[in-house]
Every structure is written in C-alpha cells, then in structure tokens.
Amino acid sequence: MLEVLKNQRIKVIAVGDYYVSPETMVKAVEQSPLNVSEMITCFWGDDDQQAFAARQINVERNGPEAEAYAEGIDEEIVDADVLITHFSPVPRSLIEKGKNLKAILTCRGGLEHICVEAASERNIPVVNVIRNAEPVADFALGMILALTRNIAVSHCGMMQGEWMKDFPNSAFTTTLSRLTVGLAGVGNIGMELAIRLKALGVTLIAHDEYTTQERLAKNGLGDMRLVSSLEELFREADVVSLHLRLTEENLKVINRNYFSLMKPTAYFINTARGGLVNQEDLIQALKDKTIAGAALDVYDAEPLAADSELRKLDNVLLTPHIAGQTVDAIPNSPFMLMKEVGKIIKDGIADRIVNNHALEKEVL
C-alpha cells in the first residue's frame, strides 16, 4: 500500500477550500512522516460560504464529474506522487493524468468527490478520515432525547408564553432505557452512537451488511443484535437512526415502504444525508401520524425552503445541518489524516484505506 512512501522523496499536491485551507494542509504534512521534496498548493471552490455549499451539495449528489476540480492541477498532477484534498473533486480524468500517483488522501469521511473506481483500477489507495464521528454521534443522541422527551418543542412553547403539559406523544413518552434504538449503518458514527446509547442502558439493534458481531464485540457491543434487513430494523425499533452512506443505488431508499413498517409510537432520526430519504414520503408519514415524529439535520435540498411543509409540522425537530460542526472537527481533519497515514506507513495498519470498491465498509 503506502510502504513505498517510507523512504522515497515525493511530490505532494494539496488542494484546500473554504473550510480547510491549503496552509493548514501544508502544516499537517510538515508534521507527518512523508518525505516531501516538493509541495504544490491549490484552492478549490469559492470564498463565499453559500456558493461553496451549493457546489459541495452538487458533488455529493452527482459525483466527482459534477464540478470542475481546482485550477492549476492539470500540469502538476503528471509527476505528483500524492494528492491531498478536502472537497475538491478527483474525477477519473484527473486520476488518469497522474501517471506517477501513489495515493489519494482526503480530509473527510465521504468519498462522493473521488472516483474510487478509477483509483482502484490503478491500485492507488484512497485514504480518508472520519473527522466528525464523535460530534455527529453526540448530536444524534441529543436529537433522540430532545424529540422523545419534547425538550425542543416545550422550549419553543415557553418562549411563546405557553406552559405546555400535553404533547402528541404524551400517551407513550417513556425513559430512554425502555426504548429499542435501531441503527441503520454501524460505521464510525453509528458505532460511536451505539457506545453512548449502551452506556445509558438502551436496547440496541442494527443492520449493516459490512459489519460483524465480532467487530461489535471488539467495541464493547457484543450484546447488540444485528438484524437481517432494514425492513426488520424499521419494524422493531422505537427509534431509527440513519447512518448510511449516500450512493446512486440508495438515493431516496428510505421511503413510504419503510415508514409504513414503523410503529405509530416510533421516531426517525437523520443526521446522515438528506438524499437517503424520500422527503415527501416522510412528510406524509408525519402528517398522517404513521410515525410519532422525526428529527432531521439534513434535507433533500439545502438550505431548507422557507415554505417547506416540514416547517408546518408539530412532530418534527429541525436543525440546519450542524451535527458535525464543532470548533475542532474540520480544522483538525488534515492532522487526523496525517496521523492515519503515519500509522499506515509505520505499522501497515489500514483502518481508513478504501480500495477495490470497499467504500461502504469504511464510511457508512
């Protein structure tokens, strides 16, 4: 894999953007074991946050070909050994120009911006880092508590002068330890959430085609039951928390069929990707009280429209895609990435190498 980089002097291209600057990437590389002979920096995207967000969403939804990559790479990639990016697209055409490319590194967990297929064909390892697993897990736990115990809605009522005692879910409000939480996906974020929930005495079930009971046991979750299908998960859980990776194959996969399986006392949480859910089907389920409620941090279009039907519902908790935003998660991501690279070079341990199309296993 990356053993070839141990002693060889290499040329590195670092592509920063609005959130992760090229200068931060340079500092991280300087603290890494990479033996750099030449460092080229580029900038991708816009200095305007909203414009950058629009391009980011386009790439997440439509892949690395959806937006042009950073200017200035074409000439430099020809003899580069390592390409480091945060969100700049890495399409097939760019990978094919990198005749000497030995690794592609990215400061985030999602790989929608990289043509992993083209990298795998060339046997070029792609290394990513799950920078915000803990912040998102914390946030998802907070959403579960706020939704099931009416914390958010009662706060809004208090601010409007109301003293609320009755809620749509009053007949079945209970303690967290009496609930069964179902995790759709047990990658890094799902695993962190499971660890937190177990500490609170919650019964856990999960569906993940790429994990095993042995992996769960190594993380202290040997008693968490893996169910055979998403259908079974949605049918059994009192709370379903979504932690899947968005692909072309699972776009809007969570639809009315799944919501119809849920108990009328059950809740749906999404801190993963808005594109995983058929939003209209979810809105209808909430309107019809097919499910008790939902908490959403992500949407099929962002920012959420001012006239969205979601804003008119009394059984939904909405936040503006902030689950992963802490003061340290994104700025520290290049350093986390270089720490991962250092582990691979030193010990050959590849927790975050994605190759041969094993994306789901690594970044669910």
Side-chain angles (χ1 to χ4, degrees), residues 274-287:
L276 291 164
V277 180
N278 186 311
Q279 192 164 290
E280 295 306 312
D281 287 357
L282 174 59
I283 290 171
Q284 196 60 52
L286 291 165
K287 282 183 176 180

Side-chain angles (χ1 to χ4, degrees), residues 141 176 191-204 216-217 219-224:
L141 175 58
L176 193 61
M191 187 70 73
E192 290 289 343
L193 178 57
I195 291 168
R196 287 156 173 73
L197 289 168
K198 182 185 177 181
L200 296 171
V202 176
T203 300
L204 294 167
L216 297 180
N219 286 275
L221 298 166
D223 55 350
M224 182 165 74

Side-chain angles (χ1 to χ4, degrees), residues 153-164:
V153 69
S154 58
H155 165 76
C156 291
M158 290 290 286
M159 298 301 286
Q160 294 171 11
E162 300 179 42
W163 188 263
M164 302 175 71

Side-chain angles (χ1 to χ4, degrees), residues 180-218:
T180 295
V181 175
L183 304 178
V186 197
N188 291 271
I189 295 171
M191 187 70 73
E192 290 289 343
L193 178 57
I195 291 168
R196 287 156 173 73
L197 289 168
K198 182 185 177 181
L200 296 171
V202 176
T203 300
L204 294 167
I205 61 174
H207 175 70
D208 188 329
E209 296 178 2
Y210 300 92
T211 201
T212 63
Q213 208 69 52
E214 290 73 22
R215 177 172 176 260
L216 297 180
K218 286 180 180 178

